[in-house]
Amino acid sequence: MRQLISRFSPRLLSAAALLSLAGCASLFQPPVNPGESEEQVLTRLGAPTNIYQDGNTRLFEYGAGAFSQYQYMARIGPDHRLISYQQVWTIENFRAIRTNQDTKQDVLNRVGRPSEITRYARVPFEAWNYSFKESGVWNSQMTVYFTDQGIVQKVENGPDPRYDDSRMRF
């Protein structure tokens, strides 16, 4: 029995190592690639949480749920092929939101639906909160404030209150 195990061990270890490396290689590839058909995107990613029209392209939003800090968008071109697939809750995308100019639809097209929509007692605007992982490190919350006409009034960044330990001290 011992001879049998020692005889197969190098082969089993080599096979196991190759299989595990093959699995890791797929983790570093994007789930979809530009040029793939809309049908392939839907097959691989499933139904989007929302779909937005942006000019002659459509945006498929893939939200990961209420406590997610990431949100992805697949941009589908007029030829029904994937143009891009990217994580959209980034500081660069939030900085690109223009005050006194962008509308709710502009914000939806850039970063998708928020984690929460609320009104604060002392602020006369509707607030869209986006809980995101800033620079891949900090638990942050970006808030986009809208006037009653649906125009961006203000954009501000701060710590995500869900992760703020100082609020729980007695």
Side-chain angles (χ1 to χ4, degrees), residues 89-97 107 111 114-116 120 127-134 139-145 154-161:
W89 286 0
T90 64
I91 197 70
E92 293 80 17
N93 278 341
F94 289 121
R95 282 186 185 145
I97 296 171
V107 173
V111 293
S115 309
E116 170 189 47
Y120 296 107
W128 288 12
N129 294 324
Y130 294 87
S131 297
F132 74 111
K133 189 66 95 167
E134 186 176 348
N139 297 314
S140 297
Q141 179 173 283
M142 189 66 70
T143 303
V144 181
Y145 295 95
K154 181 168 107 172
V155 180
E156 69 181 4
N157 190 9
D160 188 337

Side-chain angles (χ1 to χ4, degrees), residues 155-169:
V155 180
E156 69 181 4
N157 190 9
D160 188 337
R162 298 179 305 173
Y163 299 96
D164 188 0
D165 294 345
S166 66
R167 293 172 33 145
M168 299 303 179
R169 294 186 185 150

Side-chain angles (χ1 to χ4, degrees), residues 74-150:
R75 182 175 292 274
I76 305 294
D79 61 352
H80 301 282
R81 297 222 164 262
L82 180 68
I83 296 171
S84 64
Y85 179 74
Q86 59 187 358
Q87 200 286 105
V88 293
W89 286 0
T90 64
I91 197 70
E92 293 80 17
N93 278 341
F94 289 121
R95 282 186 185 145
I97 296 171
R98 300 166 298 180
T99 58
N100 300 316
Q101 189 174 348
D102 281 350
T103 65
K104 288 181 179 182
Q105 191 60 52
D106 294 328
V107 173
L108 288 172
N109 289 349
R110 182 172 304 282
V111 293
R113 68 183 166 86
S115 309
E116 170 189 47
I117 297 175
T118 190
R119 278 196 177 264
Y120 296 107
R122 296 182 181 212
V123 180
F125 306 116
E126 181 177 270
W128 288 12
N129 294 324
Y130 294 87
S131 297
F132 74 111
K133 189 66 95 167
E134 186 176 348
S135 301
V137 179
W138 297 285
N139 297 314
S140 297
Q141 179 173 283
M142 189 66 70
T143 303
V144 181
Y145 295 95
F146 293 95
T147 64
D148 290 335
Q149 293 74 36

